[in-house]
Amino acid sequence: MDMRAILMGLAFAVMWSSAFTSARIIVAAAPPLSALALRFLISGLLAILLARALGQSWRLTRAQWRATVIFGISQNALYLGLNFVAMQTIEASLAAIVASTMPLLVALSGWLFLGQSLRPLTLLGLVAGFAGVALIMGSRFGGGVDPFGLALCVGGVIALTVATLSLRNASSGGSFLMVVGLQMLVGSAALFPVALATETLQVQMSPTLVLAFAYTTLVPGLAATVVWFYLVDRIGAVRAATFHFLNPFFGVAIAAVLLNERMGLLDAVGVAVIALGILSVQLSRLPAARPRSG
């Protein structure tokens, strides 16, 4: 893995992790589903315009359209929608920690439902990852965590896990940005009716809200996706996924710095254990190096 790939991976991890802090700022001043639907609408249109500028077509195959709709609903509408609603009552750091367990849930589900074998390093990573989560949850429940908000985060990461498993072999056919943009529009279309039916459009306008909304739309919403695409193209999906082990650390650290969210000793230990668990699971999937001939 060369230095450029490492820098790209670090940039992706920081941008992805920071989305929880900016989302926490947004939902404190605006209806969560309405704000998210508008964000997807803007990000989706920008991605499609960029894709067209790069010569990508929106004429997708049936399999690509199926993948676009499934992922648009599962990842954008369900996963992010549930997280945005949850962060009205729980801290951004806790939402980031729950979301970061997705690679662990994918590996566990592959073993339970798809008959995939577990290497010893994978099993060790799963045990460590879930032990870290249990450690953090035990300390947070003593501080009055909202159970309903936490349940929404768990439901969101399960939806993302299902989407990841169902589309693990899907291909964008060279139209990656176009598919991403269309997925965002699908998420926007799914969220707007729910937002109109359940939310009152009351917004506390401020420079902070505008900045947070612009940031989450352009950086985690669009720029992180572009960086991820080039990273996967450069080093492959499995190696790129090892950078997910940084998400618990960055998610908690960014929330602590920008939102003054507390981070106790058990939180720090739990985050470290989860990160090592995710790293172990991802490293166990790396192909063995071929011996050099001669």
Side-chain angles (χ1 to χ4, degrees):
M1 191 180 300
D2 57 81
M3 182 56 64
R4 178 176 292 184
I6 292 174
L7 293 176
M8 290 169 63
L10 290 173
F12 165 77
V14 171
M15 288 188 289
W16 189 93
S17 302
S18 67
F20 296 93
T21 294
S22 58
R24 176 72 166 162
I25 295 172
I26 292 170
V27 301
L33 297 183
S34 299
L36 187 59
L38 180 59
R39 169 202 151 174
F40 283 141
L41 178 61
I42 297 173
S43 296
L45 292 175
L46 289 175
I48 289 173
L49 289 174
L50 181 58
R52 291 297 295 162
L54 294 175
Q56 297 182 12
S57 173
W58 46 45
R59 295 181 179 177
L60 307 181
T61 65
R62 180 177 297 179
Q64 289 172 333
W65 275 115
R66 183 171 61 250
T68 297
V69 172
I70 292 175
F71 223 75
I73 293 175
S74 299
Q75 174 176 283
N76 297 336
L78 290 177
Y79 163 63
L80 288 174
L82 291 172
N83 270 275
F84 263 59
V85 174
M87 277 188 284
Q88 293 179 301
T89 58
I90 69 170
E91 295 180 331
S93 57
L94 183 56
I97 289 168
V98 174
S100 69
T101 61
M102 187 272 289
L104 301 176
L105 292 176
V106 169
L108 180 62
S109 300
W111 173 59
L112 291 175
F113 305 114
L114 301 179
Q116 298 176 354
S117 60
L118 290 182
R119 297 180 181 179
L121 187 58
T122 306
L123 182 60
L124 178 63
L126 289 174
V127 172
F130 290 117
V133 172
L135 184 64
I136 293 172
M137 291 301 117
S139 66
R140 292 295 182 101
F141 271 118
V145 170
D146 175 37
F148 180 68
L150 180 60
L152 291 178
C153 286
V154 172
V157 76
I158 290 175
L160 182 60
T161 301
V162 171
T164 301
L165 287 171
S166 64
L167 303 176
R168 65 193 185 279
N169 294 321
S171 171
S172 62
S175 298
F176 179 83
L177 278 176
M178 180 61 70
V179 170
V180 167
L182 292 172
Q183 286 172 0
M184 291 178 180
L185 294 186
V186 169
S188 180
L191 287 172
F192 264 126
V194 181
L196 291 174
T198 61
E199 295 180 341
T200 301
L201 192 58
Q202 295 180 343
V203 181
Q204 301 173 11
M205 290 298 298
S206 68
T208 301
L209 174 61
V210 174
L211 181 61
F213 184 82
Y215 176 84
T216 196
T217 300
L218 298 175
V219 180
L222 192 57
T225 302
V226 175
V227 172
W228 177 254
F229 165 64
Y230 285 111
L231 181 64
V232 170
D233 184 63
R234 190 176 187 87
I235 63 175
V238 174
R239 286 186 170 85
T242 60
F243 287 97
H244 276 289
F245 88 95
L246 295 170
N247 291 329
F249 169 76
F250 282 138
V252 171
I254 293 171
V257 171
L258 297 182
L259 301 178
N260 294 318
E261 293 187 0
R262 64 182 179 86
M263 182 176 178
L265 178 60
L266 289 180
D267 290 325
V269 173
V271 165
V273 173
I274 294 171
L276 290 175
I278 295 171
L279 180 61
S280 298
V281 168
Q282 299 298 348
L283 289 179
S284 69
R285 296 176 176 178
L286 293 177
R290 296 179 180 179
R292 294 182 179 180
S293 59

